[in-house]
């Protein structure tokens, strides 16, 4: 027996469509979400907390791996600490974008590195990021819900 795996992003988008709406992977809303990705990378790479938070809806929830759900205030505090202590370089790759009405589902791959401005160790990680965006009354797209997962580096073998 053969199983077919349906991408979770498509399932979310289809489940959130209203009667008569269809999910799409092309068009002006998809392009607007691609622009959102570019703006997000630029905000992180410059350490601009206000620009980063401007990409979030008023009521976002973030679900970091192995941690409590974060609201807007928690996200601000996390960014203030991270950007305040580190120089950051982020690369974002939109792997899949699906729009269904006023909901956009975005699956990204990311890589990031950070260099402490003072004490501490430099680091890097790669991972995946799932973002649900909501279209705002002004037509912009903002992060409404998200979760991410770091991909562990390959294990090194003992010599």
């Amino acid at each position: 027996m053969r199983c077919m795996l349906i991408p979770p992003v498509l399932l979310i988008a289809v489940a959130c469509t209203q009667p008569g709406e269809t999910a799409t992977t092309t068009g002006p809303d998809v392009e607007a979400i691609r622009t959102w990705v570019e703006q997000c990378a630029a905000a992180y790479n410059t350490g601009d907390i206000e620009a980063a938070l401007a990409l979030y809806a008023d009521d976002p929830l973030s679900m970091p791996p192995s941690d409590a759900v974060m609201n807007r205030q928690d996200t601000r505090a996390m960014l203030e600490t991270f950007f305040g202590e580190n120089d950051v370089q982020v690369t974002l790759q939109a792997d899949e974008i699906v729009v269904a009405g006023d909901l956009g589902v975005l699956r990204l791959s990311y890589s990031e590195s950070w260099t402490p401005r003072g004490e501490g160790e430099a680091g890097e990680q790669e991972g995946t990021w799932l973002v649900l965006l909501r279209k705002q009354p002004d037509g912009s797209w903002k992060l409404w819900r998200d979760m991410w997962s770091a991909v562990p580096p390959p294990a090194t073998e003992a010599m």
Side-chain angles (χ1 to χ4, degrees), residues 1 19 28 30 36 45 56 78 81 100 104 111 119 127 133-134 147 159:
M1 180 155 122
V30 170
W36 182 95
N45 287 332
Y56 284 71
M78 186 251 328
T81 299
S111 63
E119 299 287 322
L133 299 112
R134 275 213 159 145
M147 60 191 311
M159 307 269 297

Side-chain angles (χ1 to χ4, degrees), residues 30-97:
V30 170
E31 292 310 310
I33 291 172
R34 286 189 196 288
T35 299
W36 182 95
V37 173
E38 293 168 5
Q39 293 170 336
C40 185
Y44 274 68
N45 287 332
T46 59
D48 189 336
I49 295 165
E50 297 309 319
L53 288 174
L55 299 169
Y56 284 71
D58 292 336
D59 60 344
L61 292 177
S62 294
M63 293 160 267
S66 304
D67 208 345
V69 172
M70 297 180 350
N71 62 24
R72 187 176 188 82
Q73 294 79 14
D74 299 328
T75 299
R76 175 181 285 282
M78 186 251 328
L79 291 175
E80 286 174 348
T81 299
F82 191 56
F83 291 161
E85 296 174 355
N86 300 285
D87 290 318
V88 180
Q89 182 62 46
V90 173
T91 302
L92 300 175
Q93 170 64 46
D95 297 320
E96 188 172 18
I97 301 172

